[in-house]
Amino acid sequence: MTLTPLSSSELTELIHGLNRLAHNLWWTWNQEAQEIFQKLSPRAWQNLYHNAVAVLHEVSDMELRTRLQDPGFAQEVRRVLDQFEAYLQAPDTWAAEQASQLQEKPIAYFSAEFGLSETLPIAAGGLGVLAGDHAKSASDLGLPFVGISLFYRQGYFMQAINDENWQTEYYSMLNPKNLPMEPVLDAKGEPLTCMVQVATSQVRFKVWRVNVGRIPLYLMDTNLPENEELYRDLTMRVYGGDSSTRIMQEILLGVGGVRLLRALGIQPSTFHMNEGHAAFLTLELMREKLAAGATLEEATTRTRQECIFTTHTPVEAGHDRFTSDLIQYAAHKFSSDLGLTHDAFMDLGRVQAGDAQEPFCMTVLALKHSRAANGVSELHGQISRQMWQGLYPDRPVDEVPIGHITNGIHVAGWMKGPLRRFFRSKLGEGWDRDLNSPLFWQRLEDTDFVSDEELWALRANLRRELIEFARRRLLIQSQHLYRENFITYDNLLNPDALTIGFARRFATYKRAPLVFQQFERVVRLAKDQQRPVQFIFAGKAHPRDDEGKRFIQHIIHLSKHTELHGHLVFLENYDIHIARQMVSGCDVWLNNPRRPLEASGTSGQKTSAHGCLNMSIMDGWWREAYDGTNGFAIGGDHHPDRIEEQDRIDSENLYKVLEEEVINTFYNRDASGVPRQWIGKIRRAMSTITPEYSTWRMVQDYATQYYLTGQ
């Protein structure tokens, strides 16, 4: 049967739909949508960081109209656009049923970084990825929600390794026209601008909107010609510059964010501060109330009722603190706005009022002006109560008002294509309708639903994808250093070997090199002909963290110049794309922070859906998730006080579990070559971890425990 060609108006409608879709990051968690943009230009999709907007710019209007005359392709596009529209318009969301009182007054979620996609690299690490996943699940759940952050036009740094194996940093300019974002316009159709005072200057900012499913994320940008150069560059880089830059960014985020919401006519029910970076928003809320005639006490009480605070940092050094002089220089207007002396204002950010030696702490400011506060795991909640008991001297530690909601991940956003195709083959179209239900994942324990052989084949497929991805990346990395060795990368790593992954920020407390501490022992394990082990590492150290850079240098040296060559690799320029490859393809996810310094961690939560097992210190989320059957624990639920002793014991326990449990179980195969006991652990990990440690559960917890309690 001959199909009638599409009319000009039908083509225009599809093209308009594709452009609208490209400007909404819903496509980052919809595989079919991604496949459409990939088909339009496979090379552009691969080389332009999987950027749907940039792909459309690569394809002319003439070509797009021609390609859409293919009935099969046009049908795919229509199907995806119909899914997209149905998603946006769905009336029967969780929030519509469970949180309807929030419909008119959304949650305003402030975070200094949002990690949404490799397409938009404006996050430095786990805090931003958590914020991005929080936003995606808020959208899925239909929660009225607005994100507030900054647009960093150079993003976070790009990492390159030089010929001394040392991390170097460089930056690329982001072009908003090639990104899934659009300018926010005022009633006259002109770019909306707002103003905030920083130090002695009035700083203007424009605004970009990023559509994340049903919700908007607003990014403030000071790159305007009317600003002094210092302030034009204020939003240049994520956490860029010194303490002066940091406090100015945080004034913009907190005060500017509130003023932006007012300019947009948005009246939030709750201001949610994701870490202390946004805590200055509390002072702007107080200023508004004072200007309307409230007393300072009334303004403080009413502001506290509007705000909640999530802390992610279990170490004193991780909380932003500013000297009295810096506060006087950059934030003196707050004192006059609130009618406070400088010393009285400083006390808003001090544990001990009147202590002139104590700096101004953003976490203290947030805690004093929030109706509720939480850590991001059970243990982190305990640590936070101990850390901040000084703010509540009349209460025992257990009654310090800091609770906990354990972090999670946006499951759909981290699922790789082979896993999606696997479930589609089992469940047909609409397979992901109940993706976040525990019942969906519990069926993975049923051998009638999926056999051991099928799960093992899936794991082999995912591991092969990772190995080939690593080989391609290593080839690119080597081009400027070892041209004569190109061909060797085709044989690097073993697709049949037990593959252990470690990928995260290279903060020293995360102890990336711990597994190599007993070097002869790890070499023996790696070179075992019958039961080989191999390691894939990735991660960035902060540009000013030389100790973290030394960790990277040491691991790369081991990968190139020791007996671990061929059994250990380091992938440069860690980002969300590399993370997605690694959490899906590795067999074991290694996590060995110095307990209790891992507030939660989320990288290991991304592995379970793919059948990768966690091997972790009992810190953060893992001490809650581990049940003896769904992964591997390094040591017990305790730790020595002395760092040296903790490192020694953790190293010994790591090898003990690796040698006696992990390797033995992985290579214990039956006559068919299938590791039945290992697959049993995979089933348990899929069913017990994936639905529980998701941002669907997490956002529902925030809504029921914190967002709704303020209504």
Side-chain angles (χ1 to χ4, degrees):
M1 184 179 73
T2 304
L3 295 176
T4 305
L6 295 178
S7 67
S8 177
S9 61
E10 288 172 321
L11 287 171
T12 299
E13 182 182 355
L14 287 183
I15 292 170
H16 174 75
L18 278 175
N19 276 280
R20 183 164 173 259
L21 173 61
H23 283 85
N24 190 311
L25 288 174
W26 174 83
W27 57 259
T28 65
W29 67 95
N30 182 283
Q31 184 76 23
E32 291 176 301
Q34 293 172 40
E35 288 171 357
I36 284 174
F37 295 112
Q38 183 178 21
K39 286 178 180 178
L40 284 172
S41 176
R43 183 177 179 276
W45 178 256
Q46 179 175 321
N47 292 348
L48 299 174
Y49 297 96
H50 311 110
N51 182 343
V53 173
V55 166
L56 287 184
H57 288 170
E58 287 285 307
V59 180
S60 69
D61 183 72
M62 179 182 293
E63 181 187 350
L64 192 52
R65 287 176 176 273
T66 303
R67 299 279 294 276
L68 286 169
Q69 291 291 5
D70 176 343
F73 184 58
Q75 188 175 19
E76 287 180 48
V77 172
R78 276 203 194 92
R79 184 168 60 245
V80 168
L81 293 179
D82 288 345
Q83 287 179 32
F84 178 46
E85 195 61 33
Y87 175 90
L88 294 179
Q89 303 301 327
D92 56 342
T93 64
W94 176 86
E97 297 178 1
Q98 304 295 326
S100 58
Q101 54 268 61
L102 297 176
Q103 292 302 315
E104 300 303 320
K105 299 185 73 177
I107 308 305
Y109 184 88
F110 286 64
S111 181
E113 48 177 304
F114 275 82
L116 295 157
S117 166
E118 59 270 27
T119 294
L120 188 62
I122 56 171
L127 177 73
V129 172
L130 183 279
D133 283 8
H134 192 129
K136 291 172 183 176
S137 284
S139 170
D140 289 342
L141 292 164
L143 190 71
F145 190 91
V146 178
I148 301 291
S149 192
L150 307 181
F151 174 58
Y152 306 100
R153 66 181 183 276
Q154 288 190 352
Y156 199 50
F157 73 88
M158 310 283 277
Q159 179 194 57
I161 306 300
N162 66 19
D163 56 5
E164 295 178 348
N165 300 326
W166 189 256
Q167 172 184 294
T168 61
E169 300 89 29
Y170 65 97
Y171 293 85
S172 297
M173 197 68 74
L174 300 176
N175 182 354
K177 293 181 180 179
N178 281 329
L179 294 171
M181 53 197 290
E182 53 203 17
V184 176
L185 306 179
D186 62 18
K188 298 178 181 178
E190 300 293 327
L192 175 70
T193 62
C194 301
M195 189 162 57
V196 62
Q197 180 168 326
V198 180
T200 58
S201 299
Q202 297 295 325
V203 179
R204 282 201 168 274
F205 61 88
K206 57 186 176 182
V207 189
W208 303 95
R209 174 176 168 140
V210 178
N211 297 305
V212 186
R214 298 182 177 100
I215 70 159
L217 166 62
Y218 294 104
L219 304 177
M220 293 174 282
D221 181 0
T222 59
N223 185 28
L224 289 169
E226 54 264 45
N227 288 332
E228 302 166 45
E229 184 175 355
L230 167 66
Y231 299 116
R232 288 201 298 271
D233 291 344
L234 193 56
T235 53
M236 180 179 287
R237 296 175 179 175
V238 185
Y239 306 136
D242 55 13
S243 294
S244 295
T245 304
R246 176 67 69 94
I247 192 173
M248 291 177 184
Q249 286 185 334
E250 295 184 355
I251 291 170
L252 176 64
L253 176 63
V255 178
V258 173
R259 293 185 180 177
L260 168 61
L261 290 168
R262 302 311 189 210
L264 294 170
I266 297 171
Q267 297 295 326
S269 59
T270 297
F271 293 82
H272 185 170
M273 294 171 277
N274 189 43
E275 261 301 0
H277 310 117
F280 286 137
L281 73 83
T282 63
L283 306 182
E284 175 65 6
L285 295 177
M286 291 166 64
R287 183 199 65 77
E288 290 179 336
K289 294 168 179 58
L290 288 170
T295 65
L296 181 60
E297 183 178 357
E298 290 169 341
T300 301
T301 300
R302 287 163 51 193
T303 293
R304 189 178 292 123
Q305 281 304 112
E306 291 181 300
C307 297
I308 70 169
F309 171 58
T310 299
T311 176
H312 295 257
T313 310
V315 288
E316 290 282 354
H319 297 266
D320 282 348
R321 289 179 168 87
F322 302 116
T323 65
S324 176
D325 288 345
L326 185 54
I327 289 288
Q328 179 66 46
Y329 164 68
H332 63 270
K333 190 173 188 301
F334 291 134
S335 301
S336 59
D337 285 343
L338 301 180
L340 297 174
T341 66
H342 174 68
D343 287 339
F345 178 76
M346 286 293 296
D347 284 347
L348 296 179
R350 287 173 172 158
V351 175
Q352 298 297 330
D355 182 356
Q357 302 305 309
E358 183 179 346
F360 187 99
C361 178
M362 297 294 283
T363 298
V364 173
L365 177 65
L367 288 169
K368 286 183 174 181
H369 295 87
S370 295
R371 71 171 186 263
N374 69 283
V376 289
S377 71
E378 182 183 44
L379 181 59
H380 181 230
Q382 295 174 20
I383 297 299
S384 297
R385 288 189 287 276
Q386 294 168 10
M387 182 181 296
W388 301 110
Q389 187 188 14
L391 280 171
Y392 314 92
D394 57 334
R395 304 189 190 193
V397 171
D398 289 347
E399 294 181 15
V400 169
I402 302 175
H404 83 274
I405 290 179
T406 303
N407 282 346
I409 60 105
H410 184 252
V411 177
W414 288 98
M415 290 181 74
K416 283 277 290 173
L419 183 60
R420 293 171 181 272
R421 289 189 286 274
F422 173 81
F423 280 122
R424 186 178 290 115
S425 71
K426 289 288 179 182
L427 300 169
E429 293 301 320
W431 65 271
D432 56 349
R433 192 171 295 113
D434 301 313
L435 180 62
N436 291 282
S437 163
L439 293 175
F440 180 98
W441 295 96
Q442 285 169 10
R443 76 183 97 190
L444 270 299
E445 296 204 53
D446 182 359
T447 55
D448 289 333
F449 174 67
V450 55
S451 68
D452 287 353
E453 287 78 6
E454 288 174 302
L455 275 179
W456 193 229
L458 173 66
R459 286 298 314 141
N461 185 9
L462 290 167
R463 192 186 312 111
R464 164 62 71 173
E465 278 205 0
L466 171 60
I467 299 302
E468 297 197 351
F469 170 80
R471 288 170 175 172
R472 290 194 303 272
R473 291 295 294 240
L474 289 163
L475 177 61
I476 294 169
Q477 289 174 204
S478 71
Q479 287 180 353
H480 64 291
L481 294 176
Y482 302 105
R483 294 183 179 277
E484 70 278 9
N485 291 334
F486 280 6
I487 194 66
T488 64
Y489 291 101
D490 286 337
N491 300 308
L492 195 62
L493 299 172
N494 178 356
D496 296 320
L498 172 63
T499 303
I500 298 176
F502 182 104
R504 51 184 53 82
R505 188 166 52 89
F506 261 63
T508 51
Y509 78 85
K510 295 178 185 284
R511 299 188 296 186
L514 186 67
V515 71
F516 307 116
Q517 197 171 78
Q518 301 181 46
F519 187 68
E520 292 182 0
R521 202 167 172 182
V522 77
V523 168
R524 185 174 69 251
L525 297 177
K527 301 191 77 169
D528 187 317
Q529 294 295 311
Q530 302 303 314
R531 308 192 310 174
V533 178
Q534 61 192 6
F535 301 89
I536 301 178
F537 273 64
K540 295 176 178 179
H542 189 279
R544 292 192 295 274
D545 182 5
D546 281 353
E547 192 60 31
K549 291 183 181 182
R550 273 189 278 274
F551 279 4
I552 291 174
Q553 184 182 45
H554 174 60
I555 290 170
I556 296 175
H557 173 80
L558 294 179
S559 74
K560 292 179 178 178
H561 305 298
T562 72
E563 291 176 277
L564 287 177
H565 179 67
H567 306 277
L568 165 65
V569 299
F570 183 91
L571 303 182
E572 285 180 17
N573 207 27
Y574 182 52
D575 64 2
I576 289 174
H577 180 47
I578 290 179
R580 193 180 297 110
Q581 300 289 336
M582 289 186 63
V583 297
S584 61
C586 289
D587 297 297
V588 170
W589 196 253
L590 177 61
N591 186 46
N592 44 237
R594 189 175 287 125
R595 179 184 150 123
L597 303 185
E598 185 83 295
S600 174
T602 59
S603 62
Q605 296 171 344
K606 303 173 179 83
T607 68
S608 57
H610 299 92
C612 170
L613 298 177
N614 280 275
M615 177 172 66
S616 177
I617 296 286
M618 295 288 275
D619 198 6
W621 75 279
W622 183 240
R623 69 181 287 276
E624 301 168 41
Y626 177 66
D627 68 3
T629 70
N630 57 2
F632 305 94
I634 302 172
D637 192 16
H638 52 79
H639 62 274
D641 292 331
R642 290 180 57 249
I643 287 176
E644 296 80 7
E645 182 69 2
Q646 187 178 161
D647 289 354
R648 184 190 65 79
I649 290 175
D650 287 347
S651 174
E652 193 57 44
N653 284 335
L654 193 162
Y655 279 96
K656 181 180 175 65
V657 71
L658 181 58
E659 292 174 334
E660 297 179 9
E661 297 182 50
V662 175
I663 295 174
N664 285 344
T665 308
F666 183 82
Y667 284 107
N668 179 17
R669 313 286 172 87
D670 65 9
S672 304
V674 178
R676 306 286 175 183
Q677 187 181 356
W678 185 270
I679 291 172
K681 286 184 175 291
I682 288 176
R683 293 182 188 276
R684 288 290 296 161
M686 285 179 155
S687 66
T688 62
I689 295 173
T690 308
E692 178 64 20
Y693 295 92
S694 76
T695 41
W696 269 58
R697 184 272 310 158
M698 184 192 81
V699 173
Q700 289 174 354
D701 285 350
Y702 275 111
T704 56
Q705 295 180 36
Y706 295 139
Y707 299 158
L708 289 169
T709 57
Q711 302 311 298

